[in-house]
Amino acid sequence: MKIKKTKGEQVFDVFNVILMAIVAAVMILPMLHVLSVSLSEGSESIKGGFFFYPHGFNLKGYETVFKDPLLIRSYGNTILYVIGNTVLTLFFTALTAYPLSIPGFRLKIPVTVFLTITMFISGGTIPTYMLMRNMGLINSVWVMMLPFCVGAYNVILFRTFFTGIPAALREAAIIDGASEVTVLFRIIFPLSKAIFATIGLFTLVAKWNDWFSALIYLNRETMYPLQMILRKILFNTDQAMKNLDPVTRQMFSGNEVTAQNVKMAAIIITTLPILCVYPFIQKYFVKGVFVGTIKG
């Protein structure tokens, strides 16, 4: 039976639709502008203004970006860093959270308090850099994957999810002679695919967009992730044009491509993969927000 909404509820629904449409427009229009400028003729892109659609059609901006020899390498670096950091984060976070979900664990309260403190107080950039340097991690792939694998917020989410798994399963396995390691890997992990997917997707997106870690800890351009190459293109396009080969320089002089084309093309290239993936994983982000609210 269809429930008839009151006039107030109908007005509220209309207001929500209008509000969400405005929010969607605020999110979509900037990306539409970036895409349109990247595909526009060079002579049109320098005129300024907002582009709802490409003015002409020109792929020279993308051709120029792909001439950067570090671009393809940075794609590989980013994939390595994202996968490595995500796997290490899930593994070490789960190992940290599992003991905290066991009722009889004696250090449960002290460890929880310690983790909670780290949510409000951090070590700072300079002490963290000195720690990475003393550990010999500077200019290595590990400095992009290993630090900050265990975060207090992620541990709390994992612990909450593990606590929701019936304790009788663990107790029965222990009675049958299973060790805690066996219980964790053979029982808890298979039942925790949802939280693994949620935290994994949070970590993947965050690491894909991370450029600050590379700026601080990496000095070799061959090790830069994709976002650092984007940063270099956005900040150094004008200077880089002076070092282009004669054919490409002629394209610029003939207004076939401008700095705006190159910058916008670089933004599209670096954001397109995650934009294509996000619509399919959005439901996990929503679920991740509510994981910690189901059980305290």
Side-chain angles (χ1 to χ4, degrees), residues 2-193:
K2 187 176 181 180
I3 301 177
K4 185 178 180 179
K5 295 183 178 180
T6 64
K7 186 176 181 179
E9 291 175 336
Q10 293 175 354
V11 172
F12 182 74
D13 290 342
V14 172
F15 173 79
N16 278 342
V17 171
I18 295 175
L19 178 62
M20 291 299 104
I22 294 174
V23 173
V26 170
M27 301 295 178
I28 295 174
L29 290 179
M31 288 304 302
L32 177 62
H33 171 73
V34 170
L35 178 62
S36 299
V37 172
S38 70
L39 295 174
S40 296
E41 293 288 346
S43 58
E44 295 291 329
S45 64
I46 61 177
K47 294 180 180 180
F50 189 88
F51 284 43
F52 285 98
Y53 55 88
H55 295 184
F57 185 76
N58 180 19
L59 294 176
K60 298 297 183 181
Y62 292 91
E63 293 179 10
T64 304
V65 172
F66 279 109
K67 285 181 180 292
D68 191 329
L70 293 176
L71 182 67
I72 302 301
R73 187 181 185 93
S74 67
Y75 256 107
N77 292 340
T78 298
I79 293 173
L80 173 63
Y81 300 153
V82 167
I83 294 177
N85 180 254
T86 302
V87 171
L88 291 175
T89 296
L90 293 177
F91 181 73
F92 288 119
T93 302
L95 290 184
T96 304
Y98 176 64
L100 300 179
S101 66
I102 299 176
F105 183 53
R106 296 182 179 180
L107 297 179
K108 181 177 181 179
I109 294 179
V111 173
T112 302
V113 172
F114 176 80
L115 289 172
T116 304
I117 292 175
T118 64
M119 297 179 69
F120 302 96
I121 303 175
S122 64
T125 302
I126 295 177
T128 303
Y129 178 85
M130 295 176 64
L131 175 62
M132 297 300 108
R133 183 191 62 186
N134 294 337
M135 295 178 64
L137 297 179
I138 301 298
N139 284 324
S140 69
V141 296
W142 293 107
V143 80
M144 296 298 295
M145 298 188 297
L146 193 58
F148 312 111
C149 280
V150 179
Y153 180 72
N154 291 343
V155 171
I156 292 174
L157 290 181
F158 263 97
R159 184 204 64 186
T160 302
F161 193 92
F162 289 165
T163 304
I165 297 176
L169 294 176
R170 173 180 172 273
E171 295 170 357
I174 296 296
I175 293 175
D176 290 339
S179 64
E180 293 290 357
V181 175
T182 302
V183 172
L184 179 62
F185 285 93
R186 302 291 293 273
I187 298 177
I188 303 298
F189 279 7
L191 295 176
S192 305
K193 295 179 181 179

